[in-house]
Amino acid sequence: MRTGTLPSTAYDDRPYTRGGTVDRADVGVLVQSAVDGDAAAWKALVEGLSPLVWSVVRAHRLSDADGHEVYQTVWFRFAQHLGRIREPDKAGSWLASTARNECLRTLRSLSRLTVTDDPHLLDGVSEVGAPEQSLLDAEEAAAQSERIRRLWQEFERLGDRCRQLLRVLMASPPPSYQEVSAALGVAVGSIGPLRQRCLRRLRARLDDARGTS
């Protein structure tokens, strides 16, 4: 059973945020079908739940090479245990927990945290037009790029706990709180309040940055 193809780049924004989607209500059925050898069901699981796996990898800030290895290992272990998962409808939580464990194992083996570059969120492409419009478009693109740069700059100044939580919550489709809990080892009841605190801190840092610029 194949684990499917990898995104073109582990930390490329587009595969990460625009991966396939799968209705969580269908996950259990897809798992059972995959156990019975249904290749289409396996493909649907990989495409639908890969964004969740990548979000956990990103939260632990692995290098590109290590991230790919963890991704492959997680799906390999999922294939190995497919017929033994006690709650097939919670396969997302199983994957998130396994991804977290593999990330921590990799970090322990490196004995240090490897920092990677942030993804490029803006690809400034403007259509050819009048010189005046081109200038306005270029200025707007530059302003937007600067806003995004400041956002990520302040994001990186948050504590590790906030950065990990927000990175996982940015997955598309959004993970359930049970999946977030499995990915980060945070109690389900603490996720909402922690998310709000982290967002308030980020907003305050952005306001302060604007006030001093």
Side-chain angles (χ1 to χ4, degrees):
M1 182 177 294
R2 298 179 62 190
T3 59
T5 58
L6 287 171
S8 58
T9 304
Y11 303 110
D12 187 298
D13 185 53
R14 276 174 271 191
Y16 167 60
T17 60
R18 300 181 188 177
T21 60
V22 60
D23 191 328
R24 285 191 178 85
D26 297 333
V27 169
V29 175
L30 289 172
V31 170
Q32 293 295 344
S33 296
V35 170
D36 294 334
D38 188 337
W42 174 256
K43 181 179 179 182
L45 285 169
V46 174
E47 291 181 348
L49 296 175
S50 281
L52 173 62
V53 176
W54 280 121
S55 73
V56 178
V57 173
R58 283 173 56 90
H60 289 82
R61 302 180 66 81
L62 297 179
S63 69
D64 187 75
D66 289 334
H68 274 86
E69 183 175 351
V70 167
Y71 174 88
Q72 289 284 33
T73 300
V74 169
W75 284 106
F76 176 71
R77 297 198 188 287
F78 185 64
Q80 282 185 312
H81 293 84
L82 196 59
R84 302 195 297 273
I85 295 178
R86 287 179 293 181
E87 298 179 281
D89 58 317
K90 296 183 180 179
S93 294
W94 192 98
L95 285 164
S97 179
T98 302
R100 175 175 179 261
N101 291 336
E102 286 299 320
C103 287
L104 293 176
R105 182 189 63 77
T106 299
L107 290 173
R108 283 195 298 269
S109 70
L110 296 172
S111 72
R112 63 183 175 83
L113 187 66
T114 302
V115 180
T116 62
D117 291 334
D118 285 314
H120 295 290
L121 299 181
L122 179 64
D123 183 12
V125 178
S126 59
E127 296 182 357
V128 177
E132 295 82 0
Q133 186 60 47
S134 297
L135 178 60
L136 291 174
D137 290 343
E139 289 177 348
E140 175 59 27
Q144 176 71 356
S145 180
E146 177 61 17
R147 287 193 292 269
I148 292 173
R149 186 193 67 78
R150 287 184 179 180
L151 172 63
W152 281 108
Q153 184 180 60
E154 297 307 325
F155 178 88
E156 288 301 324
R157 291 173 178 170
L158 294 173
D160 289 343
R161 190 176 181 84
C162 281
R163 290 201 306 270
Q164 287 191 341
L165 178 66
L166 294 178
R167 283 184 184 277
V168 171
L169 289 172
M170 282 190 290
S172 177
S176 68
Y177 275 15
Q178 287 74 21
E179 291 166 347
V180 176
S181 175
L184 301 179
V186 178
V188 171
S190 301
I191 294 172
L194 179 58
R195 173 180 176 272
Q196 291 302 318
R197 287 198 297 271
C198 292
L199 289 175
R200 282 197 297 269
R201 289 174 189 170
L202 179 58
R203 188 175 298 112
R205 295 196 70 93
L206 288 170
D207 290 342
D208 289 345
R210 281 194 291 269
T212 57
S213 60

